[in-house]
Amino acid sequence: MFAVKPPLNNKQFLRKEEAEKYRIVINNDKKIISCIENLSNEIFYEIFDFLDGCEIYQAFSNLNSRFQTLITCSTLRLKIDLSTRPDSSLEYWSKYVVVPNKDRIIALSWPFSYDHDLGYTLFNIDSSFIRLEILTLRSIRAKDLIPLLINMISLPHLFSLTINYDEDPQEISNIYQASFNLSMLKYFKLSFFAFETLFSISINVDKQLTAIKYLVIDHCCSLDELIALFSCTPQLCRLTCEQVNESHKDIVKDTLCPILSLTRISIGRCYAKFNEIEIFLTKISSQLEELRFNSFSDVNYLDANRWERIISQYLQHLNIFEFQYNEIIERYSQTTIDYGRLNQFKSSFWIKQKWIFKISIDTDSSDKNVIVFSIFPDRKIRSNSYEKVKNDINFNDDVDQNMEQVYATTSSIMLAETNQLDIIDLSNSKYNESCFDRIGRIQAAVKITRLNIIASEMFMETLIEIIGCVPDIDSLVISSLEMVPIRCLSTEEAKTLRLLSVKNVITKVTLHQMNDLAPVKFLLHLCRRMKYLDVDCTKNVLPETFLRFILMHKIKHISRLSVLCLKIPETDIDIVDKLKGIIDIEQLCFDYKIEQIDNKIYLRLFA
């Protein structure tokens, strides 16, 4: 679907009587506009720019003569999306909206239905669409597509073409060649869903050059096929590719033609060998600024020193590097990764680039347990900066120095030297024992200092076992956690909990979606060294209830707590005075400072 601005409550314009009820009053030098019809034509054209062309005709064509004149004016540019219309109405909209307005349509999304033999015979996309800039073709048949692409050569302004194709895979090469003949095309996306073994791409590169700047290959292709497509796109700036497989033939470095305009590459799934990708990256563009891709199968992708050499020598303009390597965990499987090598990602090179190394265990990834090793810019995980908090709260200078490290880490700013482990839905894992064993081996080689648990629910004993595997964590983040005690902790588990509460070094805790106080109470027992606590309140727990609970337990369980950050519901946006009154009247603490920034309350507790 072409990009359309969000509609402005379209239903308000559907009937004349509703439009008449929608009244606007504007005071400007005692001039009052009391009826929507009195707005200027320019304002209406601004409104129309937010609406689909069919909706404009449906809502305004029968109101009055003025609106009839407005919507038939030659200066009104229409965006028409027929992909959301029922098949039974396509002929109507084609006949009464599309065909009469060919010369005013700038964007068109057209569905090719298999239930009705309509195709593009309802109207011919030719030079009569003199303003057409954006075209989307959905579920189009092979017998219709190639002739249509050939016919579209006459379109003078078409710069964006999106094709969703799901028929004969042998036509893929012909589709690319026909599309590359569209001289004005700057953006091209081809979506095709099939197994990679069903087809191959063969492009005749002789004189097959295109001015495309943004290419989206929404299907799988081999690396040598991708290189063949590159040979036709000398002006390419951005590439997005769904899946890249191993080459069908050897990659010859000298045959790769650099594209100096190429600055962004994104690959959803990369199954090519690292040797091939290395050759590709060292030749394709020295001006590359962004590189994003997910890799599989070849553990050589985790060679940080090799990446450092490639980037330092050949990709010196690279500033955004988002990389993932995925390893599947299976019961009793042995890893092929030398986890000790992962520490190479903590060298001065990576710290200087401010690229963060993170490990995730996803136990709900298409029914497979996967360890994901990733590199990404630190700004990807920033939700708020210390400087903003400090400036807004206006703490004294002597407090700032103590606060800086606390806010810098607990406001989700990941320092480059921090190793983070994400655990996703571990409670649903088929092979928890294998996961715990793998976590232990990773911890032995890579000191994990930050643990981020993303789960809808988790058993208390599971959390205890996880933290037992990573004894060096300083920061614990738990998202949408529901503590589910399926039974009381056994004597051995209770003993383990007491031991962990003494030995763990967790000082910063973040808990999202707090629906009751039980998870908080458990964390207070577990994290006795806690200095900073960040909690998102929900409608189930009042902010004053939570604040009273924390301050009453501070002396006994978390005596080191110095900063409490409380995200409050929008309905409690002005609650600071109420919380301050509770603290003073009930004498919950004496030396403190409390401030509010947007919907967050910051409470600083002094010794």
Side-chain angles (χ1 to χ4, degrees):
M1 182 186 301
F2 51 80
V4 179
K5 298 179 183 178
L8 297 177
N9 297 326
N10 304 344
K11 292 183 179 179
Q12 293 179 353
F13 300 98
L14 291 181
R15 297 183 181 87
K16 181 178 179 180
E17 58 269 27
E18 291 177 350
E20 291 175 345
K21 292 178 182 178
Y22 189 74
R23 305 179 68 83
I24 299 176
V25 178
I26 301 176
N27 290 299
N28 184 9
D29 297 330
K30 298 183 179 180
K31 180 181 180 181
I32 299 178
I33 299 176
S34 60
C35 187
I36 191 172
E37 284 87 348
N38 291 332
L39 295 177
S40 67
N41 291 347
E42 289 74 15
I43 292 179
F44 277 112
Y45 284 134
E46 287 289 332
I47 295 174
F48 290 162
D49 195 45
F50 284 85
L51 303 178
D52 176 77
C54 294
E55 294 173 341
I56 293 174
Y57 269 81
Q58 186 175 19
F60 293 95
S61 60
N62 295 318
L63 285 180
N64 54 45
S65 58
R66 184 204 175 188
F67 283 116
Q68 187 67 29
T69 302
L70 282 176
I71 65 176
T72 56
C73 177
S74 60
T75 60
L76 176 61
R77 308 195 315 165
L78 297 176
K79 306 169 188 175
I80 296 179
D81 182 5
L82 296 177
S83 63
T84 60
R85 303 286 168 176
D87 289 343
S88 57
S89 68
L90 290 180
E91 186 172 2
Y92 171 83
W93 292 114
S94 300
K95 182 177 180 180
Y96 293 102
V97 177
V98 176
V99 173
N101 296 287
K102 287 182 178 182
D103 58 337
R104 298 196 296 154
I105 296 175
I106 64 169
L108 175 64
S109 180
W110 177 253
F112 282 71
S113 171
Y114 286 93
D115 297 329
H116 296 79
D117 190 17
L118 297 176
Y120 72 97
T121 55
L122 288 176
F123 54 85
N124 196 15
I125 302 179
D126 53 23
S127 58
S128 59
F129 285 82
I130 57 175
R131 295 190 187 181
L132 186 61
E133 299 174 355
I134 304 171
L135 178 62
T136 301
L137 304 174
R138 299 182 180 278
S139 302
I140 187 169
R141 303 170 180 176
K143 69 180 182 66
D144 295 330
L145 179 56
I146 300 300
L148 177 60
L149 291 173
I150 295 174
N151 199 45
M152 284 163 47
I153 294 177
S154 59
L155 295 177
H157 299 294
L158 183 67
F159 72 84
S160 174
L161 175 61
T162 299
I163 299 175
N164 293 340
Y165 177 74
D166 55 10
E167 274 211 326
D168 185 4
Q170 301 306 318
E171 293 290 338
I172 293 294
S173 296
N174 294 331
I175 294 172
Y176 274 107
Q177 294 198 167
S179 300
F180 287 174
N181 281 328
L182 302 175
S183 60
M184 301 302 295
L185 207 59
K186 304 299 181 184
Y187 172 94
F188 179 57
K189 177 180 179 180
L190 176 60
S191 298
F192 180 74
F193 304 99
F195 295 107
E196 59 270 25
T197 55
L198 293 180
F199 68 95
S200 61
I201 301 174
S202 176
I203 299 291
N204 181 8
V205 299
D206 294 337
K207 299 181 181 180
Q208 187 69 40
L209 300 181
T210 174
I212 290 174
K213 295 181 179 296
Y214 190 176
L215 178 62
V216 181
I217 305 173
D218 191 20
H219 57 78
C220 56
C221 66
S222 64
L223 184 58
D224 56 312
E225 292 170 341
L226 177 60
I227 292 173
L229 290 173
F230 274 5
S231 64
C232 303
T233 57
Q235 300 181 43
L236 191 66
C237 297
R238 298 181 61 180
L239 168 74
T240 299
C241 190
E242 174 64 22
Q243 179 173 322
V244 174
N245 299 325
E246 288 186 62
S247 298
H248 297 311
K249 55 186 179 182
D250 292 337
I251 302 298
V252 180
K253 188 173 184 179
D254 294 337
T255 62
L256 277 166
C257 298
I259 305 177
L260 296 181
S261 58
L262 184 60
T263 59
R264 300 180 183 181
I265 295 178
S266 177
I267 301 175
R269 297 187 299 275
C270 182
Y271 291 95
K273 296 296 184 182
F274 192 26
N275 289 338
E276 295 180 332
I277 291 295
E278 182 177 23
I279 295 173
F280 174 75
L281 291 176
T282 57
K283 289 289 291 184
I284 194 61
S285 177
S286 59
Q287 302 301 311
L288 200 65
E289 299 175 2
E290 298 181 16
L291 176 60
R292 298 178 171 91
F293 74 100
N294 300 332
S295 60
F296 302 80
S297 305
D298 188 355
V299 296
N300 290 312
Y301 278 107
L302 292 177
D303 188 337
N305 293 333
R306 196 168 166 184
W307 276 115
E308 181 179 342
R309 182 184 64 83
I310 294 171
I311 295 171
S312 299
Q313 295 183 16
Y314 302 98
L315 305 176
Q316 297 182 8
H317 295 277
L318 193 68
N319 55 63
I320 295 180
F321 182 44
E322 295 183 7
F323 157 75
Q324 290 186 0
Y325 177 79
N326 300 265
E327 181 190 30
I328 297 177
I329 307 174
E330 303 196 296
R331 189 185 295 272
Y332 310 123
S333 64
Q334 296 295 319
T335 182
T336 58
I337 298 175
D338 178 6
Y339 292 131
R341 296 174 61 187
L342 300 178
N343 288 304
Q344 297 173 355
F345 286 105
K346 308 308 297 178
S347 70
S348 59
F349 169 80
W350 302 96
I351 295 175
K352 181 180 178 181
Q353 300 293 336
K354 296 183 179 179
W355 291 340
I356 305 302
F357 176 70
K358 183 179 70 172
I359 303 172
S360 301
I361 297 182
D362 187 349
T363 62
D364 191 31
S365 177
S366 302
D367 295 326
K368 293 180 180 179
N369 301 329
V370 179
I371 297 183
V372 180
F373 305 90
S374 57
I375 288 287
F376 56 93
D378 64 349
R379 64 176 175 271
K380 291 289 290 183
I381 56 174
R382 295 188 183 192
S383 61
N384 197 2
S385 67
Y386 162 70
E387 289 299 328
K388 180 180 185 304
V389 174
K390 183 179 70 173
N391 293 336
D392 289 344
I393 295 182
N394 295 318
F395 282 120
N396 297 328
D397 291 339
D398 58 338
V399 178
D400 288 345
Q401 187 175 3
N402 296 328
M403 292 287 294
E404 183 167 359
Q405 182 58 39
V406 175
Y407 276 109
T409 305
T410 53
S411 296
S412 298
I413 302 178
M414 178 75 64
L415 299 178
E417 60 268 26
T418 300
N419 286 330
Q420 177 171 327
L421 173 64
D422 286 356
I423 297 180
I424 304 172
D425 285 338
L426 188 61
S427 59
N428 297 326
S429 175
K430 297 178 181 178
Y431 311 127
N432 276 350
E433 293 182 4
S434 299
C435 290
F436 293 142
D437 177 68
R438 199 65 61 91
I439 292 172
R441 280 188 276 171
I442 292 173
Q443 171 65 26
V446 181
K447 184 178 179 181
I448 302 297
T449 56
R450 178 184 174 94
L451 178 63
N452 184 22
I453 298 176
I454 305 169
S456 57
E457 62 180 26
M458 178 170 289
F459 300 129
M460 292 181 181
E461 51 269 31
T462 303
L463 181 59
I464 292 172
E465 192 164 359
I466 293 173
I467 294 179
C469 293
V470 284
D472 297 317
I473 61 171
D474 172 69
S475 177
L476 174 63
V477 180
I478 304 176
S479 302
S480 303
L481 176 65
E482 292 290 341
M483 291 294 187
V484 185
I486 56 174
R487 53 178 172 77
C488 294
L489 296 179
S490 66
T491 302
E492 187 64 27
E493 289 168 339
K495 182 179 178 181
T496 302
L497 175 59
R498 288 195 296 271
L499 183 62
L500 277 179
S501 66
V502 175
K503 297 184 65 175
N504 80 76
V505 293
I506 300 172
T507 60
K508 294 169 281 291
V509 176
T510 300
L511 176 62
H512 300 297
Q513 298 300 318
M514 179 189 62
N515 293 313
D516 59 71
L517 294 174
V520 180
K521 185 176 182 180
F522 175 79
L523 291 172
L524 297 185
H525 285 279
L526 178 64
C527 307
R528 293 179 177 271
R529 299 173 187 261
M530 186 190 309
K531 296 180 180 179
Y532 180 96
L533 177 60
D534 187 345
V535 175
D536 292 355
C537 280
T538 63
K539 61 182 180 180
N540 296 326
V541 180
L542 297 176
E544 54 267 35
T545 301
F546 174 77
L547 182 67
R548 184 182 290 110
F549 176 82
I550 291 297
L551 295 180
M552 291 178 65
H553 285 78
K554 179 182 182 301
I555 297 178
K556 183 177 181 181
H557 297 291
I558 47 173
S559 58
R560 304 182 187 186
L561 184 68
S562 58
V563 178
L564 176 64
C565 177
L566 182 61
K567 182 178 179 181
I568 58 177
E570 295 293 339
T571 54
D572 297 323
I573 199 64
D574 298 317
I575 197 175
V576 171
D577 291 339
K578 183 178 182 180
L579 295 179
K580 189 174 181 179
I582 292 175
I583 294 174
D584 294 340
I585 293 174
E586 301 183 20
Q587 298 185 345
L588 297 175
C589 63
F590 299 98
D591 196 0
Y592 70 93
K593 187 174 183 68
I594 185 169
E595 297 285 347
Q596 180 174 347
I597 302 175
D598 298 327
N599 65 333
K600 280 203 169 187
I601 304 294
Y602 293 91
L603 175 65
R604 168 68 174 172
L605 302 171
F606 301 98

